[in-house]
Amino acid sequence: MTLAETAYEALRHDIVRGLLRPGQPLRMAQLSQRYGMGFSPLREALNRLQAERLVSSVALRGFTVAPLSMPEMWDAINTRILIEQRALRLSIENGGDDWEAGIVGALHGLMLQTARAASGTDEEQRLLEDRHHAFHRSLIAACNSGWLMDFFQRLYVEAERYRYPLLRMQSVENHRDIQAEHTALSQAALARDADLACTLLADHYLRTARFIEAQTQALGRKTA
């Protein structure tokens, strides 16, 4: 990767994981020291992240990590549902054997890694997140639309900013059988039942959004 791409990946990772907090100023000198690179690749990376709405910029005040809010979260989730339902319908219509095999393989890999991630190590958790992303991407991989895939990626990352900080917390989400939801979603897609698959996809994301909202409100009450 180029230095700009390396800076982009590092900054995006730290923003999504909450290592760079919402609203935190992103001063060039501090970023240069943190990531060990010059201003030019960092500035290019920040401009790219601004276009993806992960970073905000105010004239004469520089860059800051984009804030988080429940209205923004719901906007991202609802838009994600619209985009992915369209991409899923196209994939069900156009997908062939390779698409089906991709879904089966991604689901199997996700289930294996879910069991391994119970150890709680950072590396196992990172691999779990990679496979979770790969599974959802596999469902829409045959949509034949670069724009839809680009929007999928951007909205996935935006949703992760809200989901990731709560992943390891003991909460009501732990009582969901998320793997059963993934399995049902994949089975509907493979059966070419577009209506059912799209309904299950929306329900899957809405459950997560409601969990995030409930936990955020609960945390707010505890810290008030």
Side-chain angles (χ1 to χ4, degrees):
M1 293 190 294
T2 66
L3 279 177
E5 289 169 337
T6 300
Y8 166 78
E9 292 290 343
L11 281 162
R12 187 178 70 168
H13 174 276
D14 288 353
I15 290 171
V16 171
R17 296 302 184 263
L19 300 175
L20 295 172
R21 299 181 306 279
Q24 179 177 337
L26 297 171
R27 298 185 175 91
M28 286 296 179
Q30 294 175 347
L31 294 179
S32 179
Q33 183 176 16
R34 180 186 181 103
Y35 298 108
M37 59 184 67
F39 288 7
S40 181
L42 288 167
R43 187 173 292 106
E44 184 175 337
L46 289 169
N47 284 325
R48 183 175 172 184
L49 290 165
Q50 182 183 9
E52 296 178 5
R53 301 180 65 174
L54 294 175
V55 165
S56 302
S57 177
V58 178
L60 304 179
R61 299 179 65 179
F63 294 98
T64 60
V65 178
L68 297 178
S69 72
M70 284 302 99
E72 283 287 334
M73 187 271 291
W74 278 109
D75 187 21
I77 293 294
N78 288 327
T79 305
R80 185 181 179 189
I81 290 171
L82 288 174
I83 292 295
E84 291 190 40
Q85 282 183 330
R86 176 58 178 162
L88 182 55
R89 285 187 182 276
L90 288 171
S91 292
I92 288 172
E93 179 181 340
N94 300 324
D97 291 350
D98 289 344
W99 171 69
E100 292 190 5
I103 293 173
V104 173
L107 178 64
H108 183 63
L110 176 57
M111 295 178 73
L112 290 175
Q113 189 57 34
T114 298
R116 297 188 187 114
S119 64
T121 66
D122 289 341
E123 180 61 17
E124 293 295 354
Q125 187 64 40
R126 184 189 67 78
L127 290 172
L128 176 62
E129 290 307 301
D130 288 346
R131 292 194 180 185
H132 182 257
H133 174 269
F135 169 71
H136 281 285
R137 191 181 189 284
S138 73
L139 292 168
I140 63 171
C143 70
N144 297 328
S145 170
W147 280 109
L148 288 175
M149 296 304 294
D150 183 53
F151 287 134
F152 156 77
Q153 180 60 31
R154 294 190 185 195
L155 290 164
Y156 185 94
V157 171
E158 180 64 21
E160 285 297 279
R161 291 190 69 203
Y162 293 88
R163 191 175 74 92
Y164 189 83
L166 303 175
L167 281 176
R168 297 193 178 190
M169 296 176 60
Q170 186 175 0
S171 65
V172 294
E173 188 179 30
N174 292 336
H175 301 293
R176 280 173 63 192
D177 192 344
I178 296 178
Q179 288 311 307
E181 293 177 27
H182 287 151
T183 299
L185 178 53
S186 66
Q187 289 174 343
L190 294 172
R192 310 288 173 151
D193 190 335
D195 289 341
L196 177 59
C198 287
T199 296
L200 292 173
L201 181 74
D203 185 60
H204 182 63
Y205 290 158
L206 290 172
R207 286 188 182 200
T208 298
R210 287 192 289 266
F211 157 73
I212 292 170
E213 184 174 57
Q215 293 303 300
T216 300
Q217 291 173 349
L219 288 171
R221 288 194 294 269
K222 289 178 182 179
T223 58

